[in-house]
């Protein structure tokens, strides 16, 4: 508000001066070019000018009193301002004759020269105290600014919060701060920090930790430089790190506890791993025992039922063959083949019950088993055509058994349900897997009903993550298409 008044009032008076020809309020007339008859606006402007000069002089002298103890420079500064003011008052009172020469301007020039010298010597235009005050007031760290005369020209409240016994004030000597550190602080950096506060800029920068009145404080001292890297002062920063040290100690203690907990967890994990290993062994043993019990149970059932039935069929077939005439060679061959198939079926059942069926696949191979499947059905009048891709890589035993069982079940369904006369089996290598095609020329079906056979095929393929589909046009033929990843 005041700065607008200070600017606006002289501007209005100057406007009255420029427009004086219209209103004659600044000066009424000039007599003989020497003497001026002054108007009311001139006197108002004069009073305002005197007020600004006297007020500014008082403020500057008060500022000089805080930084300068000697009286001579303050008196010189006051006289340099009041000399042109006194001369101007005497001229306006017609005590001093004007005679076309205004001595006020000449004395004012002398005043400006004297004032400039004093301002330069006392650094009245030094912006450090002004800028620093606004910068440091709201900081949580304690800030102390020391000028090049080792006088404290800036600090914030945080300094006295951190060091309440210090009671530091602005314009105190920096020696007060350094002596307090020497007497109240502990730590290896105590004397070095105190010396850096008292000594010139060459002692900076300094950074270290001190224990002041039981508080852990981080101290950092830096140099403030102006134009041309000239030394303008020092800045001292105090940071209360007691809370940080408290947190670090808590973290350290918690890390120790976590280390102990981790060690216990490692021991528990080791015990759990051993327990899981034993459980896996027990589980495998239990599974093997369950399989053995089920095999024994199934073996007894199969031996008592299917085994007895096959044995009876073989005996009856051999009895029939013994009663055939010599000229019935064709019938003898058919009966011999049926006897052979029955014996193979009986051996398959016995090998399965003994857990040896997979071994026979490993020793023989898929192509041999499919060849035997084709030969077994020659006597029944069904032609089974098998085609295996030559680029097909070696198939593991589990997949070979699955493919053979799908082919075997498909041939059985083609003969039993479709009354087929020809079954085509095609095995190809396809996209990292095996593609299986089984197509017959049976009578087909309009609706596919999944029994044990088709469901068993799906389960065998799903075990390897493959797919299988069944198809028929409803009148002629049935097809099975399966894909088994390798």
């Amino acid at each position: 508000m005041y700065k607008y008044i200070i600017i606006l009032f002289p501007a209005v008076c100057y406007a009255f001066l420029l427009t004086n020809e219209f209103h004659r309020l600044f000066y009424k007339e000039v007599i003989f070019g020497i003497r001026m008859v002054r108007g009311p606006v001139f006197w108002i402007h004069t009073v305002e000018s005197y007020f600004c000069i006297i007020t500014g002089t008082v403020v500057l002298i008060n500022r000089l009193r805080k930084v300068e103890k000697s009286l001579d420079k303050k008196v010189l500064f006051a006289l340099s301002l009041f000399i042109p003011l006194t001369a101007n008052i005497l001229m306006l009172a017609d005590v001093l004759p004007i005679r076309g020469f205004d001595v006020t301007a000449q004395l004012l020039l002398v005043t400006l020269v004297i004032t400039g010298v004093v301002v330069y010597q006392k650094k009245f235009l030094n912006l450090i105290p002004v800028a620093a005050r606004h910068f440091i007031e709201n900081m949580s760290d304690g800030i102390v600014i020391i000028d090049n005369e080792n006088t404290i020209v800036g600090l914030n409240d945080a300094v006295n919060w951190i060091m309440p016994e210090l009671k530091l004030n602005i314009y105190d000597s920096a020696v007060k701060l350094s002596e307090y550190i020497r007497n109240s602080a502990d730590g290896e950096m105590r004397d070095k920090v105190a010396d850096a506060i008292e000594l010139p800029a060459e002692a900076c920068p300094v950074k270290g930790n001190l224990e002041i009145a039981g508080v852990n404080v981080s101290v950092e001292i830096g140099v403030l430089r102006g134009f041309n890297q000239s030394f303008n002062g020092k800045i001292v920063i105090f940071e209360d790190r007691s809370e940080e040290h408290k947190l670090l100690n808590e973290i350290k203690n918690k890390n120790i506890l976590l280390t102990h907990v981790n060690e216990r967890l490692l021991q528990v994990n080791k015990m759990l791993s051993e327990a899981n290993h034993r459980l896996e062994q027990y589980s495998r043993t239990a599974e093997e025992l369950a399989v053995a019990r089920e095999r024994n149970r199934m073996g007894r059932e199969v031996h008592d039922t299917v085994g007895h039935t096959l044995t009876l069929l073989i005996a009856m077939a051999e009895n029939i063959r013994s009663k055939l005439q010599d000229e019935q060679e064709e019938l003898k061959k058919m009966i011999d083949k049926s006897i052979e198939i029955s014996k193979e079926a009986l051996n398959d059942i016995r090998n399965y019950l003994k857990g040896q069926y997979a071994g026979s696949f490993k020793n023989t191979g898929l192509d041999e088993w499919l060849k035997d499947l084709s030969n077994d059905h020659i006597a029944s009048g069904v032609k089974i055509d098998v085609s295996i891709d030559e680029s097909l890589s070696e198939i593991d035993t589990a997949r070979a058994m699955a493919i053979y069982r799908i082919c075997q079940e498909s041939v059985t369904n083609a003969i039993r349900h479709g009354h087929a006369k020809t079954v085509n089996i095609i095995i190809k290598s396809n996209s990292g897997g095996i593609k299986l095609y089984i197509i017959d020329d049976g009578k087909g079906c309009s609706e596919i009903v999944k029994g044990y056979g088709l469901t068993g095929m799906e389960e065998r393929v799903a075990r390897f993550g493959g797919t299988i589909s069944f198809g028929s046009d409803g009148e002629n033929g049935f097809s099975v298409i399966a894909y088994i990843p390798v």
Side-chain angles (χ1 to χ4, degrees):
M1 183 64 182
Y2 296 109
K3 63 182 179 181
Y4 295 114
I5 296 176
I6 293 174
I7 296 173
L8 181 62
F9 197 87
V12 172
C13 292
Y14 185 67
F16 272 99
L17 175 62
L18 294 178
T19 58
N20 186 70
E21 296 294 331
F22 301 99
H23 48 72
R24 300 288 179 175
L25 294 177
F26 198 88
Y27 61 89
K28 294 182 180 180
E29 60 179 337
V30 179
I31 301 175
F32 301 114
I34 299 175
R35 187 171 179 276
M36 179 185 297
V37 179
R38 303 171 181 88
V41 176
F42 177 84
W43 294 110
I44 294 172
H45 172 63
T46 301
V47 171
E48 180 266 340
S49 300
Y50 287 172
F51 174 79
C52 292
I53 292 172
I54 294 171
T55 304
T57 303
V58 172
V59 172
L60 289 175
I61 291 176
N62 184 58
R63 172 68 178 83
L64 182 62
R65 180 181 61 81
K66 293 181 179 180
V67 297
E68 182 59 52
K69 303 300 181 182
S70 60
L71 182 63
D72 55 344
K73 292 185 178 179
K74 289 186 288 185
V75 172
L76 178 63
F77 184 72
L79 289 175
S80 67
L81 293 174
F82 279 103
I83 287 174
L85 181 64
T86 304
N88 185 260
I89 293 173
L90 293 175
M91 288 182 63
L92 293 177
D94 293 330
V95 175
L96 292 177
I98 299 176
R99 300 182 184 279
F101 179 76
D102 189 356
V103 70
T104 304
Q106 309 304 321
L107 294 177
L108 181 61
L109 179 60
V110 175
T111 298
L112 290 177
V113 173
I114 297 174
T115 303
V117 172
V118 176
V119 167
Y120 177 78
Q121 289 179 345
K122 307 312 296 183
K123 295 188 180 297
F124 287 162
L125 299 180
N126 188 0
L127 294 179
I128 292 178
V130 178
R133 187 176 300 110
H134 296 284
F135 177 73
I136 67 178
E137 280 178 353
N138 296 322
M139 293 187 64
S140 59
D141 296 340
I143 305 293
V144 177
I145 296 179
I146 304 172
D147 66 6
N148 54 4
E149 294 183 358
N150 228 24
T151 300
I152 295 174
V153 294
L155 77 159
N156 60 359
D157 295 336
V159 174
N160 291 316
W161 293 343
I162 297 173
M163 298 172 288
E165 297 179 357
L166 175 60
K167 297 180 181 179
L168 193 66
N169 297 309
I170 197 168
Y171 301 122
D172 285 344
S173 173
V175 176
K176 181 178 180 180
L177 176 60
S178 61
E179 289 297 327
Y180 176 82
I181 291 175
R182 292 186 194 278
N183 298 329
S184 303
D186 294 320
E188 298 178 356
M189 297 294 295
R190 181 188 62 185
D191 294 334
K192 190 172 183 180
V193 170
D195 292 340
I197 294 174
E198 296 175 353
L199 297 177
E202 287 73 14
C204 300
V206 173
K207 185 175 182 180
N209 293 326
L210 297 176
E211 192 78 19
I212 304 177
V215 178
N216 188 280
V217 179
S218 173
V219 183
E220 184 174 358
I221 305 175
V223 177
L224 297 176
R225 298 190 182 276
F227 295 105
N228 299 323
Q229 296 298 311
S230 60
F231 174 67
N232 278 356
K234 291 176 284 189
I235 181 171
V236 186
I237 303 174
F238 296 93
E239 181 184 0
D240 184 356
R241 303 187 63 185
S242 56
E243 189 67 24
E244 180 181 348
H245 272 258
K246 182 180 178 181
L247 292 175
L248 289 175
N249 289 332
E250 291 180 0
I251 292 172
K252 182 178 179 180
N253 293 333
K254 289 182 179 179
N255 283 335
I256 293 173
L257 292 175
L258 285 174
T259 301
H260 294 327
V261 171
N262 286 332
E263 290 176 355
R264 290 197 295 270
L265 286 175
L266 289 174
Q267 294 177 353
V268 172
N269 285 333
K270 184 178 179 181
M271 295 172 62
L272 286 174
S273 297
E274 293 176 353
N276 286 332
H277 181 66
R278 289 194 297 271
L279 284 174
E280 289 177 359
Q281 291 179 338
Y282 295 154
S283 177
R284 286 195 296 268
T285 303
E287 184 179 355
E288 291 173 358
L289 290 174
V291 171
R293 285 196 296 268
E294 183 65 16
R295 182 179 295 157
N296 291 334
R297 186 188 66 80
M298 291 179 61
R300 289 191 296 269
E301 294 294 329
V302 172
H303 182 272
D304 293 341
T305 56
V306 180
H308 175 73
T309 302
L310 288 174
T311 303
L312 180 59
L313 287 175
I314 293 171
M316 291 177 65
E318 289 177 346
N319 186 32
I320 293 171
R321 186 183 184 286
S322 65
K323 295 182 179 181
L324 292 176
Q325 301 297 325
D326 294 336
E327 62 275 9
Q328 295 176 313
E329 289 297 329
E330 188 66 27
L331 289 176
K332 287 181 180 181
K333 291 181 181 180
M334 293 176 64
I335 291 177
D336 288 340
K337 190 62 179 178
S338 64
I339 293 172
E340 182 182 352
I341 293 173
S342 299
K343 289 181 178 179
E344 289 178 357
L346 185 59
N347 289 330
D348 289 343
I349 292 174
R350 289 171 179 171
N351 289 333
Y352 176 78
L353 295 176
K354 292 178 181 179
Q356 299 174 352
Y357 202 73
S360 62
F361 265 92
K362 184 175 181 181
N363 296 329
T364 305
L366 177 61
D367 53 344
E368 293 295 329
W369 279 88
L370 291 178
K371 183 178 179 180
D372 291 342
L373 179 64
S374 176
N375 294 332
D376 290 342
H377 288 80
I378 293 176
S380 63
V382 178
K383 181 182 179 182
I384 301 175
D385 188 9
V386 179
S387 175
I388 301 177
D389 192 352
E390 294 181 356
S391 63
L392 187 66
S393 59
E394 186 177 352
I395 305 173
D396 59 277
T397 303
R399 285 175 173 77
M401 287 181 63
I403 293 172
Y404 176 77
R405 290 305 183 194
I406 293 172
C407 295
Q408 189 181 45
E409 182 64 26
S410 298
V411 171
T412 301
N413 290 339
I415 296 172
R416 182 186 303 169
H417 302 295
H419 305 292
K421 297 298 182 183
T422 303
V423 179
N424 293 296
I425 299 174
I426 303 172
I427 302 175
K428 291 184 176 182
S429 178
N430 180 270
S431 301
I434 302 170
K435 199 76 173 182
L436 173 63
Y437 301 90
I438 305 173
I439 304 169
D440 65 56
D441 61 352
K443 63 181 182 180
C445 60
S446 58
E447 182 179 357
I448 298 175
V449 179
K450 295 179 182 179
Y452 290 110
L454 298 183
T455 303
M457 293 184 197
E458 290 179 335
E459 292 175 353
R460 292 181 188 277
V461 173
R463 191 176 300 124
F464 302 101
T467 58
I468 189 169
S469 60
F470 311 103
S472 176
D473 60 3
E475 295 181 358
N476 185 24
F478 191 88
S479 63
V480 178
I481 302 175
Y483 173 77
I484 299 176
V486 176

